[in-house]
Amino acid sequence: MDKKEYLEYISPCGLHCGKCFAFKDGDIRKLSMQLKENLGNFETYAKRFETIIDPVFENYKSFKEMLDYFTTVECGGCRKEECKFFKNCNVRSCTENKNVEFCYECSEFPCDHTGFDENLYKRYVSINKRIKEIGPNEYYQEIKDIPRY
């Protein structure tokens, strides 16, 4: 894989954009679109199923709202546009200003400029340490087929 390919999917913080629910060409969006298509006009049936099959179908409206959301969010990835997932993320602009591809390449890594919450911050640090240890291409090969969440 050439460098440009993994850079399309791996953000500067190290998260796998390609596995994000918002990624326009990602599996979550594609599978959500397929599910929505296959469900067709299921909403009408869900109402009936509440009483004749299982009360769980009362939740169909909320489920459909999430499914609709997953099918409409279209992000090109953190290297192409502002992250649509973490509104407070400062990593993209910081790495652009510092002219580095990944945070671990910065002399200030790990820093407190990310805008991440505690859990994401811990993940960002461990991911960048792993990328530094094995290299970006090898890291991508290691995580490309596993879920992001």
Side-chain angles (χ1 to χ4, degrees):
M1 166 181 290
D2 79 24
K3 182 178 180 178
K4 292 184 188 213
E5 261 185 272
Y6 72 73
L7 287 177
E8 179 179 349
Y9 299 106
I10 305 298
S11 66
C13 72
L15 288 176
H16 188 334
C17 289
K19 293 291 183 173
C20 178
F21 72 82
F23 192 67
K24 68 180 179 180
D25 295 324
D27 289 342
I28 293 174
R29 183 165 184 270
K30 287 177 185 176
L31 293 170
S32 295
M33 291 172 77
Q34 288 177 0
L35 179 57
K36 185 176 176 178
E37 182 179 319
N38 280 287
L39 284 170
N41 192 28
F42 191 80
E43 194 164 4
T44 304
Y45 294 91
K47 242 357 203 168
R48 289 187 11 234
F49 293 164
E50 288 175 21
T51 55
I52 63 174
I53 296 180
D54 194 309
V56 74
F57 288 98
E58 293 173 4
N59 300 316
Y60 185 76
K61 183 178 179 187
S62 294
F63 166 76
K64 188 175 181 314
E65 287 176 17
M66 285 301 305
L67 185 60
D68 289 344
Y69 182 79
F70 286 152
T71 64
T72 58
V73 180
E74 290 189 21
C75 181
C78 292
R79 294 188 186 271
K80 292 184 180 174
E81 58 186 274
E82 293 296 320
C83 182
K84 293 181 180 178
F85 192 53
F86 297 108
K87 300 292 184 192
N88 296 328
C89 180
N90 299 318
V91 173
R92 179 176 181 246
S93 60
C94 184
T95 55
E96 286 176 349
N97 290 338
K98 302 218 176 186
N99 200 29
V100 296
E101 289 180 349
F102 295 98
C103 292
Y104 78 85
E105 297 170 313
C106 178
S107 62
E108 294 180 48
F109 173 78
C111 72
D112 59 359
H113 311 301
T114 63
F116 296 156
D117 65 28
E118 181 181 344
N119 291 325
L120 185 56
Y121 183 84
K122 288 177 185 175
R123 192 166 175 207
Y124 135 86
V125 170
S126 69
I127 288 170
N128 270 273
K129 286 180 178 179
R130 183 68 178 152
I131 296 172
K132 183 177 182 180
E133 178 185 335
I134 64 173
N137 188 48
E138 290 77 10
Y139 174 74
Y140 178 72
Q141 295 304 317
E142 184 176 277
I143 59 111
K144 69 182 176 75
D145 296 321
I146 58 174
R148 172 176 163 160
Y149 305 105

